[in-house]
Amino acid sequence: MGKPEPPIAPGDPRGWLDDITSTDSDDGPPRRLIVAAPAGGAAAGPVAATGTDPPPALRSRWRNTAVAAALLAAIGTVVVFLVIRDRPVELKVDGKPIRNASTVLAQAEAAFRSVVESDGARPPKAARCYFAPAPADQASQPRPRAACGPVLLGVSGTDRPWVVGRVSYSSGIGGEMIGRFDEFDAVEDLDEGTLRRPDDKRPAKGTGLKPSAAGIRDEEGRRLLRAVEVLAVADRAFAAAARDAGASTGAQTRCHFGHTPTGAGQRVSDAKLWCGPVLLIDSDPDEPWSSYALPISAGDLFGTAEIGDVAITAVTATTSLAPGVELYRPDGAAAPKEVTLAVPDAAPRQPGFLAVLDTTPPSVTFSTPPDARLVTPARTTTFDGLARTPKIGSGREALVAAPGEDLVVARFSRRRPEGAPPKSESAVVVAGATRLPVPGWSSSDAGTLVVSVPRAEQSVALEVLFDGRAQTISLLTGTRGAGSPAAFYRSATRVGIGQPLDVAVTLPEDQVVRATGSITDARVDGWRRDDGWAPPGQAFLVVGIEDWSVTRPCCKVSKVDPAAEWRLVLPDETVIDRVPPGSSSSTKAVLFVVPEAFAEGRLELSLRVRYEHRGNPGEARSQPVAFALRIPA
């Protein structure tokens, strides 16, 4: 090994510009310029000038110039660092500098990467985030926004290459503003000259950009996420629904997204999922597709939308593809060009067929009758759809009326009121002289009643029996039959009152008996658990009493027996006394039997007291206290 070289002495020409490094722009790697020192074999001392070595005086001048340049560069670096670090004076909110401007842009860039990845867009390598001026409608209180790009997302069209988002600001220590990136909310065509960064990097050119065309999109250009997952679930659901419907399917039966292609190469969804080929009993062989609405909602990321699970519970109809619609699957599976399926068959039902379906076939066109309710103390049954049709549904499970008959279809729901009695109902369908029991009526909460009746029959009703009283409702019009208790069909059956009660009677020697409490409410009932049905044309009026209390004197009178006396005075001055207290009437309620159309009256309360004073019996009464009572009929 050779001996190590001695240290280079000050002024030794061997130290002349050993290494000069310069850095290009952001778009390329640093370039390094290496200049070789003189060869090491010469003796120490002056070196003779050669064709490649500068003369000594020139070397000295260059060395001094290099030192001065390095010193100026260092000073410049310090000055620039002091100017731009965390306090870019050109970025302000309400005249105050943004302290963490670089952090805000870092937050925006992280969000921007997620947006670009979800959209499938391809921005240039130099795409980054900048501060942008506030929109024109906020010119009076300008607050810089974040703008990232350039890039053409699906929602950008061809002329809005900047993704713009909101930044929230709050006051920091020392009067500076602290920013926080919130979220992207728009795409815009911005003037690149107005965009700023703390490091003063300028925006990349947006020329040559192409709109993102990955996946499938909605009309706004948002990419629809969960496409693969939704199709997997839809394929399984559709296969099960087709089996349940007795439909014909093939080896290539599956679901596809419908879309219309655009000139930019994007697939714009028609908001439907097309499943097939499939044929039902009533399908046209040239219409082998079933369509289902595609639930689309805003995605978590800007520029995206999310597809919800498609509700495929039945195969009820088929159709042809709409003009211009093409089919797409992310896995590339193509729809068959030729369909060779056979249409399945279904047999008509027997005369007098009756069933309660758990679900309503969507192929039925219902009419909605007004106030088609049938109310008993146990249940309120509401019919919201009535139809008369030769058949409902399709496929093997289709319900087809017997020859010469129609299907009467009634969609209903049932509600059990709070405190309903344990007694149950029973029901029959009455079609002319035919009575058909409805199985499981007492336990049905909702469904669709289907009955096959002669095509000429114009009277088809449901008769419901509770506690010995029958009510009927037409399954053709929703009209209730005569004799239904009006108390159940009022616009209001209960009103809150909250009226305090205070009535007193003075006995001998200034002894006072006082009764207090309050009237909580009043309600009209057609049936009571302890009393059964109200008489025909009448109803029960129940006045609720709370905190009833009677204060009796102690010693100067004895055998004090107070009694509250209630009565109801109708507008025509007809007086109705309360039903005598018993098992169905107590200090918690006062009961009257009133006309079933009762709407208003005057409620009167007086206190009667029997007593004994010095061995002599006596009786005293208070003046009646009256309260107005109104219950809309």
Side-chain angles (χ1 to χ4, degrees):
M1 296 178 60
K3 294 182 181 180
E5 291 187 2
I8 298 176
D12 194 317
R14 288 178 294 170
W16 175 63
L17 296 180
D18 283 331
D19 182 4
I20 299 176
T21 301
S22 64
T23 302
D24 269 350
S25 66
D26 300 326
D27 298 301
R31 292 183 298 178
R32 190 173 181 85
L33 174 64
I34 305 296
V35 180
V47 179
T50 68
T52 60
D53 292 335
L58 182 59
R59 289 200 303 269
S60 176
R61 287 196 299 272
W62 283 358
R63 182 169 59 250
N64 293 339
T65 300
V67 171
L71 180 60
L72 290 174
I75 294 173
T77 300
V78 172
V79 170
V80 171
F81 172 74
L82 293 175
V83 169
I84 68 173
R85 60 159 190 175
D86 292 335
R87 295 170 59 94
V89 297
E90 70 276 21
L91 300 176
K92 298 181 179 181
V93 176
D94 300 332
K96 301 175 183 179
I98 304 171
R99 179 174 182 177
N100 64 333
S102 297
T103 300
V104 172
L105 292 187
Q107 296 168 351
E109 286 172 347
F112 179 61
R113 285 192 294 271
S114 297
V115 167
V116 169
E117 180 180 353
S118 296
D119 182 84
R122 295 185 177 182
K125 292 182 178 180
R128 53 176 60 91
C129 294
Y130 302 80
F131 284 98
D137 59 0
Q138 299 179 13
S140 60
Q141 292 184 331
R143 289 176 170 245
R145 302 176 290 169
C148 301
V151 66
L152 290 181
L153 304 177
V155 297
S156 300
T158 58
D159 57 355
R160 292 175 294 172
W162 294 98
V163 187
V164 182
R166 299 190 304 272
V167 179
S168 298
Y169 296 97
S170 60
S171 298
I173 300 176
E176 298 169 313
M177 301 298 286
I178 304 298
R180 186 189 74 246
F181 177 76
D182 290 333
E183 62 180 359
F184 294 112
D185 57 8
V187 287
E188 297 183 17
D189 182 14
L190 299 176
D191 182 354
E192 296 175 357
T194 65
L195 306 180
R196 300 296 302 275
R197 287 178 58 92
D199 56 11
D200 284 333
K201 291 183 179 179
R202 302 308 304 151
K205 297 297 183 181
T207 57
L209 296 176
K210 294 183 178 180
S212 177
I216 188 166
R217 301 175 181 271
D218 65 6
E219 293 181 347
E220 298 175 11
R222 300 182 299 178
R223 185 173 182 179
L224 303 184
L225 305 182
R226 295 186 70 242
V228 173
E229 177 184 349
V230 167
L231 278 185
V233 174
D235 284 344
R236 293 192 296 269
F238 183 75
R243 285 194 302 270
D244 293 341
S248 296
T249 59
Q252 294 181 297
T253 296
R254 54 177 63 90
C255 295
H256 306 255
F257 294 106
H259 74 93
T260 52
T262 66
Q266 293 178 332
R267 304 178 187 91
V268 178
S269 169
D270 65 350
K272 291 181 180 180
L273 200 64
W274 296 86
C275 300
V278 60
L279 290 177
L280 301 170
I281 186 173
D282 55 354
S283 295
D284 185 324
D286 295 327
E287 298 179 343
W289 296 98
S290 265
S291 65
Y292 300 89
L294 203 61
I296 298 174
S297 59
D300 293 333
L301 294 175
F302 176 76
T304 66
E306 186 166 300
I307 309 172
D309 289 337
V310 182
I312 301 178
T313 59
V315 182
T316 61
T318 61
T319 185
S320 57
L321 294 177
V325 170
E326 298 180 6
L327 300 180
Y328 164 76
R329 284 180 62 95
D331 59 9
K337 296 182 179 179
E338 184 176 352
V339 178
T340 58
L341 298 178
V343 175
D345 296 324
R349 300 291 170 165
Q350 295 296 317
F353 168 80
L354 184 148
V356 177
L357 308 181
D358 292 333
T359 57
T360 302
S363 60
V364 179
T365 301
F366 285 108
S367 63
T368 303
D371 191 26
R373 293 178 298 148
L374 195 149
V375 183
T376 74
R379 294 288 183 94
T380 295
T381 303
T382 302
F383 293 91
D384 65 353
L386 301 176
R388 187 167 188 166
T389 178
K391 68 172 186 175
I392 60 174
S394 58
R396 186 179 304 163
E397 300 302 321
L399 298 179
V400 182
E405 294 194 349
D406 285 332
L407 294 179
V408 172
V409 187
R411 185 176 59 197
F412 67 89
S413 61
R414 307 184 71 204
R415 179 180 58 84
R416 188 179 183 87
E418 184 178 353
K423 296 182 178 181
S424 60
E425 304 170 333
S426 62
V428 296
V429 172
V430 182
T434 303
R435 297 175 65 86
L436 302 172
V438 181
W441 177 257
S442 61
S443 60
S444 296
D445 290 328
T448 302
L449 177 62
V450 182
V451 58
S452 183
V453 300
R455 191 161 296 154
E457 183 58 65
Q458 298 301 310
S459 175
V460 184
L462 179 70
E463 179 183 282
V464 176
L465 182 68
F466 176 84
D467 196 18
R469 184 167 182 175
Q471 299 184 65
T472 61
I473 187 169
S474 172
L475 297 180
L476 301 178
T477 65
T479 304
R480 285 186 296 273
S484 298
F488 289 147
Y489 303 98
R490 303 167 62 96
S491 60
T493 59
R494 178 188 176 279
V495 293
I497 296 176
Q499 173 66 50
L501 300 173
D502 189 346
V503 59
V505 177
T506 301
L507 304 182
E509 299 192 41
D510 296 326
Q511 299 298 294
V512 177
V513 177
R514 181 179 299 276
T516 60
S518 64
I519 301 176
T520 59
D521 63 351
R523 63 185 183 277
V524 176
D525 287 336
W527 181 91
R528 285 173 55 80
R529 189 186 301 264
D530 296 321
D531 301 289
W533 291 100
Q538 295 184 304
F540 296 117
L541 173 65
V542 184
V543 179
I545 306 297
E546 187 176 64
D547 299 328
W548 180 260
S549 176
V550 178
T551 303
R552 296 173 174 83
C554 174
C555 306
K556 294 183 179 181
V557 293
S558 60
K559 299 182 180 179
V560 176
D561 181 18
E565 295 184 341
W566 297 84
R567 68 176 194 167
L568 180 67
V569 182
L570 301 182
D572 63 359
E573 297 302 320
T574 299
V575 176
I576 301 175
D577 292 323
R578 70 178 293 184
V579 174
S583 61
S584 62
S585 185
S586 65
T587 58
K588 294 185 177 180
V590 179
L591 179 65
F592 299 91
V593 177
V594 299
E596 61 181 3
F598 172 82
E600 62 178 312
R602 185 175 71 251
L603 189 63
E604 294 184 353
L605 167 64
S606 60
L607 190 62
R608 175 184 55 76
V609 180
R610 291 192 176 96
Y611 62 90
E612 190 172 291
H613 179 245
R614 296 180 181 178
N616 297 317
E619 182 177 295
R621 291 178 181 270
S622 70
Q623 291 295 321
V625 178
F627 312 96
L629 182 62
R630 292 183 177 85
I631 303 179

